[in-house]
Amino acid sequence: MGGARLGGTGGPGRRTLALIVAVLASATLFAGGQAVAAARLGGAGAPSAVGQAAGGIISTVAGGVGGPASGTKVALSPCDVAFAHGHLLIAEATRRAGAVREMSPGSSLLTTPAGTHAFGPVGDGGAATAASLNSCGVTADSSGNLVIASGNIWVVAKRTGTFYGQAMTAGDIYTVAGNGTFGFSGDGGPATSAALFSPSSVQVDHAGNLVIADLDNFRIRVVAESTGTFYGQAMTAGDIYTVAGDGVEGFSGDGGPATGAELDSAARVTVDPAGNLVISDTGNCRVRVVAESTGRLYGQPMTAGDIYTVAGDGTCNFSGDGGPATSAGMDQSGVAVDSAGNLVISDSGSCRVRVVAESTGRLYGQSMTAGDIYTVAGDGTCKFSGDGGPATSAGLRPGGVALGPARNLVPGGVALDPAGNLVIADGGDNRVRVVAEKHGTFYGKTMTVGDIYTIAGTGHPFGYSGNGGPATRAELSGTQGVAVSPAGNLVIGDTRNNQRFRVAAATSGTFYGIKMTHGNIYTVAGNGKVGFSGNGTLAIRAKLQGDGEVTVDSAGNLVINDNFRIRVIAARAGTFYGRAMKAGAIYTVAGDGQPAFSGDFGPATSAGMNPGGVALDPAGNLVIADHGNNRIRVVAERRGTFYGIKMIAGLIYTVAGNGGVEFSGDGGPATHATLWNPVTVAVDPAGNLVIADSLNSRIRVVAKRTGTFYGQAMTAGDIYTVAGNGVVGFSGDGGPATSAEFNFAAGTVADPAGNLVIADSLNSRIRVVAETTGTFYGQAMTAGNIYTVAGNGTIGFSGDGGRAASAELYNPVAVATNAAGDLMIADGKNGRIRMVTR
């Protein structure tokens, strides 16, 4: 059964608008995180990672940040780059969570040593690949440990040993500065007891000390690696000290002690070859230096411990190229220093990268004069262009994402690799790009001096990778739908990856016209371009624009919601829904592309509809949640009487809902009832229709025949509430389902035992209404009562390998069951498919 279409019409009123706003907010989905456990994809005979006996255990079966892959085939949201120990480090951050990526100049392969892209705990002392990070600051220390600014300052140990006064295990992540609270405290004491406020970058100086841009404290702070005197202060190993900034937002102090100066959003700090601190004082539109020793630096006499402006005149615009750097206008967000001491500035506001020359000569393909400033990349057009040509003629947007609770920044990282090439975090274009310093082959590409090249990133901020490889290493984005085919294959609506549908194969074979290997993932529909095309042609060449809803019929065909239509991707050649179909091709079987309600009692392909979820009943009829029109409709597979209505094959009929909104009609004919945004529909083992009446906060049933279902006496064709009391919230676990509260029931399915499984999306839980008394998903249940079987109500990603009810989910939007009765969950904002064992 597919997931919910989040949003849509719901009628007037403040309650409607509030719910729709919440649901639309929940639909902003990003690429998922590192998979931490493999598991059975479904179907008989497939191996299980968690074991049949371990009911209620949760694991990831598809989705993650991806395994090693060509950098230009992986979606990125880069906002900082650094170079250390022969590897390029890329910090990714999004509006929810990011990761740290790594690649070598001799290879185009990208790996992920830290981060999951999923929201959740960092996991102090645990594996870095399972940590939730959101960082625009990354570097490596002299031991090869990763150092990351992400709320606190974290270290990922390269090897087992003692670092920063802590025993560490290789591959695990540890806090070395920050106590997890926002604020300013702790100077002169242990760094792990200090409060930081949005640290945005971190560097390691020549003595091994950590230098932190403590952004919203308007300070630069240092964690001493050893006891000694640094930056004019006596320091004790492991303690933290302010070395620049007085905590007041503003501009002052040039020529005097750095600790008495005002800074404004000092987003980046680096250390030059002489040990001076170079600060990107972003809010002041200047680059400033704290001198490590007394002497002439950057063309100025400087005194150790004092602060000086070396670039920027305080005007936040573009000006001054070819003249003195201190007279130039800039709107910068990042700075690096090359091996010759030249300043390399990410001038994000002007969409350029600029250089302040340390000495007169030819640099970056240009003649430069010491102390003057020059553009070396970007033509000022803030868009992507120019790959393979001169860097100064290229369009770029060196920047990233929002950072810090107090302000929005556009961090833009720049770095120099060992060959002298300039590496740019072109965050606005979701790429990492290189300006070649000389002719040669770098990052798997042949480059010409002065030209610019993309080395990582597809240009999309959402993760799409892994086709043909293991499903647990693939990147998914916006998993809005999930279903299991008769062959046990997992079918995924990978919505935010430009409307693709992907299959994780449970067994090796040919499916949808594509040869597949057990455990690997394949795109079966959608060419990555949004639109409508492809009827009668291969589905992988079609343009799609739907919401990721997907179900699978008894023949294994995929049935999807697309462009206000219902379309079918044929599993094999044959005649389905009255049409001859070719394997792997796509066909419209209902809907004319218009969202308004029309066409009842006529051909389904001429009907207007605004569909959400789709199901197949035991007779093979298509059952459509026409949520935008507040109806449930049926396309008859053959002539007969269904749901009390005489039907003709290929025609469409309303079987529930009268088009009105709000709530009415329980206990009477379903066609007289009002529904409110019924986003999905399922068919239970008895053939009853189960409706997620989302904005009414109820699950309702249309009886297939007269009898007792879900503890209620029902009459054929009538409608009844079986879960939910109509109040938005969370309550009722362990008691009668009809007394429970939901917060947007986005999807529902009936499991093989007849229990109703509900994606309680905005409560970040999966809940079950028991059809009979017994033990299900590791819990004892009473018939008619409701229970949470996955999700603890805290949004995030955690819990793989443990009890599902203790795990964190993030707006799950769809549920399905496999042949073994395990639950498959589209964990929407985590970009994963997760399994709960029966």
Side-chain angles (χ1 to χ4, degrees):
M1 183 58 227
R5 181 184 184 92
L6 297 184
T9 60
R14 184 175 300 172
R15 178 169 174 262
T16 308
L17 291 174
L19 279 168
I20 290 174
V21 166
V23 170
L24 288 175
S26 79
T28 306
L29 307 177
F30 292 84
Q34 180 72 34
V36 297
R40 178 174 62 249
L41 296 178
S48 171
V50 293
Q52 268 305 96
I57 303 300
I58 193 167
S59 57
T60 294
V61 295
V65 293
S70 172
T72 53
K73 294 182 179 180
V74 174
L76 294 175
S77 297
C79 56
D80 193 24
V81 286
F83 219 94
H85 305 287
H87 289 85
L88 175 65
L89 304 174
I90 303 167
E92 279 197 275
T94 71
R95 279 168 285 184
R96 63 185 184 99
V100 175
R101 308 283 195 143
E102 185 176 292
M103 68 189 304
S104 164
S107 169
S108 64
L109 288 182
L110 196 67
T111 59
T112 309
T116 63
H117 270 168
F119 182 86
V122 174
D124 218 348
T129 53
S132 179
L133 302 171
N134 208 13
S135 171
C136 278
V138 62
T139 190
D141 65 17
S142 59
S143 298
N145 304 311
L146 283 183
V147 187
I148 302 166
S150 181
N152 291 337
I153 305 300
W154 305 85
V155 164
V156 179
K158 177 72 171 176
R159 57 179 173 80
T160 299
T162 299
F163 308 100
Y164 306 100
Q166 297 185 49
M168 299 187 182
T169 300
D172 287 355
I173 191 167
Y174 301 86
T175 301
V176 294
N179 61 12
T181 62
F182 291 121
F184 174 74
S185 70
D187 261 12
T192 52
S193 300
L196 307 175
F197 203 172
S198 305
S200 56
S201 78
V202 61
Q203 292 290 316
V204 182
D205 69 14
H206 304 307
N209 306 309
L210 301 183
V211 185
I212 304 164
D214 195 358
L215 180 72
D216 286 326
N217 278 322
F218 310 108
R219 291 172 166 94
I220 306 299
R221 301 172 82 181
V222 165
V223 179
E225 166 66 0
S226 57
T227 299
T229 299
F230 309 101
Y231 310 102
Q233 297 185 47
M235 299 187 182
T236 300
D239 288 356
I240 192 168
Y241 303 85
T242 294
V243 295
D246 63 0
V248 177
E249 179 181 10
F251 175 73
S252 71
D254 262 11
T259 52
E262 293 177 355
L263 306 174
D264 187 357
S265 303
R268 289 286 181 273
V269 61
T270 192
V271 184
D272 71 14
N276 307 301
L277 299 185
V278 184
I279 303 167
S280 178
D281 195 359
T282 307
N284 286 317
C285 299
R286 292 172 166 93
V287 176
R288 301 170 82 181
V289 166
V290 179
E292 167 66 2
S293 57
T294 299
R296 190 167 184 83
L297 309 167
Y298 300 100
Q300 301 180 45
M302 296 188 183
T303 300
D306 287 357
I307 193 169
Y308 304 84
T309 294
V310 294
D313 64 0
T315 58
C316 302
N317 54 29
F318 174 73
S319 67
D321 256 15
T326 51
S327 300
M330 62 178 61
D331 192 358
Q332 96 294 347
S333 60
V335 63
V337 184
D338 68 16
S339 59
N342 306 301
L343 297 183
V344 184
I345 300 166
S346 174
D347 196 351
S348 300
S350 74
C351 297
R352 294 171 168 92
V353 176
R354 303 169 81 182
V355 165
V356 179
E358 169 66 6
S359 58
T360 299
R362 191 162 184 83
L363 308 167
Y364 302 99
Q366 299 183 46
S367 296
M368 298 187 183
T369 300
D372 288 356
I373 192 168
Y374 304 84
T375 294
V376 294
D379 62 1
T381 59
C382 299
K383 62 181 182 180
F384 174 74
S385 69
D387 254 16
T392 51
S393 300
L396 56 99
R397 290 181 286 178
V401 299
L403 256 195
R407 65 200 61 250
N408 288 325
L409 292 178
V410 189
V414 286
L416 285 302
D417 72 14
N421 303 309
L422 176 60
V423 185
I424 304 166
D426 190 359
D429 293 315
N430 300 297
R431 293 171 167 91
V432 176
R433 302 171 80 182
V434 164
V435 180
E437 171 63 6
K438 58 184 177 182
H439 297 289
T441 300
F442 309 100
Y443 309 98
K445 291 193 170 189
T446 302
M447 299 187 182
T448 300
V449 63
D451 287 357
I452 192 168
Y453 304 85
T454 294
I455 62 165
T458 61
H460 298 287
F462 310 116
Y464 176 72
S465 70
N467 259 356
T472 52
R473 289 181 148 187
E475 288 181 297
L476 307 176
S477 187
T479 48
Q480 291 287 88
V482 61
V484 181
S485 77
N489 300 318
L490 187 62
V491 185
I492 302 163
D494 198 1
T495 315
R496 302 290 284 191
N497 277 321
N498 285 344
Q499 317 296 326
R500 290 176 169 98
F501 289 85
R502 303 173 80 179
V503 167
T507 57
S508 297
T510 299
F511 307 100
Y512 312 101
I514 298 170
K515 289 184 178 180
M516 300 186 184
T517 300
H518 162 69
N520 288 357
I521 193 168
Y522 304 85
T523 295
V524 296
N527 65 4
K529 297 179 180 179
V530 176
F532 176 75
S533 71
N535 261 342
T537 64
L538 288 177
I540 55 174
R541 297 178 182 171
K543 294 179 182 178
L544 306 177
Q545 188 171 2
D547 55 15
E549 300 288 348
V550 62
T551 193
V552 186
D553 67 19
S554 59
N557 305 309
L558 305 187
V559 185
I560 67 172
N561 164 352
D562 178 50
N563 283 286
F564 306 113
R565 297 170 171 91
I566 304 301
R567 302 175 82 183
V568 168
I569 297 108
R572 56 179 173 80
T575 299
F576 308 103
Y577 308 99
R579 298 186 61 169
M581 298 188 181
K582 297 180 292 185
I586 191 168
Y587 303 85
T588 296
V589 296
D592 64 359
Q594 301 301 313
F597 173 75
S598 68
D600 261 11
F601 303 99
T605 52
S606 300
M609 61 178 61
N610 190 351
V614 185
L616 279 298
D617 71 13
N621 304 308
L622 281 181
V623 186
I624 302 166
D626 191 357
H627 81 108
N629 292 309
N630 297 302
R631 292 171 167 92
I632 305 298
R633 302 171 80 181
V634 166
V635 180
E637 171 67 3
R638 57 180 172 82
R639 183 184 293 269
T641 299
F642 308 100
Y643 311 102
I645 300 170
K646 290 183 178 180
M647 299 187 183
I648 297 172
L651 303 192
I652 192 168
Y653 305 85
T654 293
V655 296
N658 61 13
V661 297
E662 296 291 352
F663 172 74
S664 72
D666 259 13
T671 52
H672 296 174
T674 52
L675 306 174
W676 198 358
N677 201 32
V679 292
T680 62
V681 62
V683 182
D684 70 14
N688 304 308
L689 302 185
V690 184
I691 303 166
D693 194 1
S694 297
L695 293 187
N696 278 321
S697 295
R698 290 173 168 94
I699 305 298
R700 301 172 80 181
V701 165
V702 179
K704 170 71 172 172
R705 57 178 173 81
T706 299
T708 299
F709 308 101
Y710 307 102
Q712 299 185 46
M714 299 187 183
T715 300
D718 287 358
I719 192 169
Y720 304 84
T721 294
V722 296
N725 64 6
V727 177
V728 176
F730 174 74
S731 71
D733 264 9
T738 51
S739 300
E741 295 176 354
F742 295 109
N743 195 354
F744 203 84
T748 185
V749 70
D751 71 13
N755 305 307
L756 294 185
V757 186
I758 303 159
D760 192 359
S761 183
L762 298 186
N763 281 322
S764 290
R765 290 173 165 95
I766 305 298
R767 301 170 81 183
V768 165
V769 180
E771 168 64 358
T772 57
T773 298
T775 299
F776 308 100
Y777 311 104
Q779 295 188 46
M781 299 187 184
T782 300
N785 288 358
I786 191 168
Y787 304 85
T788 293
V789 296
N792 62 11
T794 301
I795 61 173
F797 172 75
S798 71
D800 267 7
R803 303 299 300 182
S806 301
E808 293 177 347
L809 307 175
Y810 201 170
N811 295 147
V813 291
V815 284
T817 61
N818 67 9
D822 305 316
L823 294 184
M824 299 294 182
I825 304 168
D827 193 0
K829 278 194 175 180
N830 279 325
R832 287 173 166 85
I833 304 300
R834 300 173 81 181
M835 182 179 79
V836 179
T837 56
R838 182 178 179 186

